[in-house]
Amino acid sequence: QRNLNRYSDDFFRKIKLKYIILCSELKIAGIPTLGFANPEMKTIILNTSSNNSNFVRILHHEVFHIIEHSFKKKLFSNSWRNLNSKDFKYSECSTCSSKYSLEKIYDSKGFISEYAKSTISEDMAETFSFMMSDYNLVLDMIGKDQILDKKTMMIKNIVKNIDNNHQF
């Protein structure tokens, strides 16, 4: 509840999020998952079986997917992609590999977690989720990583366009 309260009702209206469904042992197409955003249904589904720190991150991660869908015009994939080193390539999909971890990367090189390396959408959602759940960690990381610093600035601009009073 404390993490949901970080968003105003107006914020949820602007991003068009209407429903948050809690369930245990969530699977999407038979694949165990921690959360899922369904923008068409204005819903996020969260797996209550995950540990508390992951649950908080997944909540914010899925909220960002709703933001992304609601404000596509403000999210510029090429701008985001161009922030990465020239030799980096995202995967074809977020489930194309089993090597993606949700844990923080210590030598980030522009990415906050291994999962952020899967797709642009997941990179943005992972960056936002860490900004919302452990901003001090993010501040420490961006002090050592110019790419991640630029990504967090882009996320801040996106969110400030929705709600200028939003706090990270």
Side-chain angles (χ1 to χ4, degrees):
Q1 184 64 44
R2 183 173 41 95
N3 280 279
L4 282 174
N5 289 341
R6 296 192 60 200
Y7 302 97
S8 69
D9 290 341
D10 190 47
F11 187 93
F12 284 138
R13 270 192 294 283
K14 286 179 180 177
I15 68 169
K16 301 177 181 128
L17 178 62
K18 290 192 175 200
Y19 308 104
I20 298 173
I21 299 171
L22 304 176
C23 64
S24 64
E25 301 179 33
L26 177 64
K27 291 182 181 180
I28 304 296
I31 301 170
T33 189
L34 297 174
F36 178 73
N38 185 332
E40 291 79 21
M41 299 301 291
K42 301 170 179 61
T43 303
I44 59 174
I45 305 167
L46 303 170
N47 187 341
T48 59
S49 299
S50 58
N51 71 45
N52 191 47
S53 63
N54 277 347
F55 184 83
V56 168
R57 285 231 359 268
I58 299 307
L59 164 70
H60 298 300
H61 179 105
E62 300 307 333
V63 165
F64 192 83
H65 283 311
I66 299 293
I67 292 169
E68 179 183 17
H69 185 269
S70 296
F71 292 89
K72 287 179 186 173
K73 295 174 187 158
K74 294 182 181 168
L75 303 177
F76 302 104
S77 294
N78 287 335
S79 297
W80 187 271
R81 182 186 317 274
N82 290 336
L83 294 175
N84 295 321
S85 65
K86 300 297 179 214
D87 60 334
F88 178 78
K89 301 276 186 263
Y90 287 103
S91 298
E92 303 242 345
C93 70
S94 62
T95 58
C96 292
S97 173
S98 61
K99 72 176 185 171
Y100 296 122
S101 167
L102 297 176
E103 301 302 314
K104 172 207 168 286
I105 295 177
Y106 288 92
D107 185 18
S108 59
K109 297 180 184 159
F111 299 94
I112 205 146
S113 71
E114 285 293 328
Y115 190 53
K117 293 179 179 180
S118 62
T119 66
I120 290 174
S121 179
E122 300 304 351
D123 191 5
M124 295 175 92
E126 278 293 276
T127 302
F128 178 76
S129 75
F130 271 93
M131 290 172 71
M132 290 298 294
S133 64
D134 195 347
Y135 197 61
N136 288 329
L137 170 71
V138 173
L139 289 174
D140 182 55
M141 291 178 76
I142 64 176
K144 303 169 191 158
D145 186 329
Q146 291 180 339
I147 295 171
L148 194 54
D149 185 31
K150 290 175 185 173
K151 287 180 176 181
T152 60
M153 292 304 296
M154 187 178 276
I155 294 287
K156 282 181 185 178
N157 289 335
I158 290 165
V159 173
K160 291 295 180 183
N161 280 325
I162 298 166
D163 180 359
N164 198 39
N165 296 318
H166 185 80
Q167 298 294 312
F168 287 97

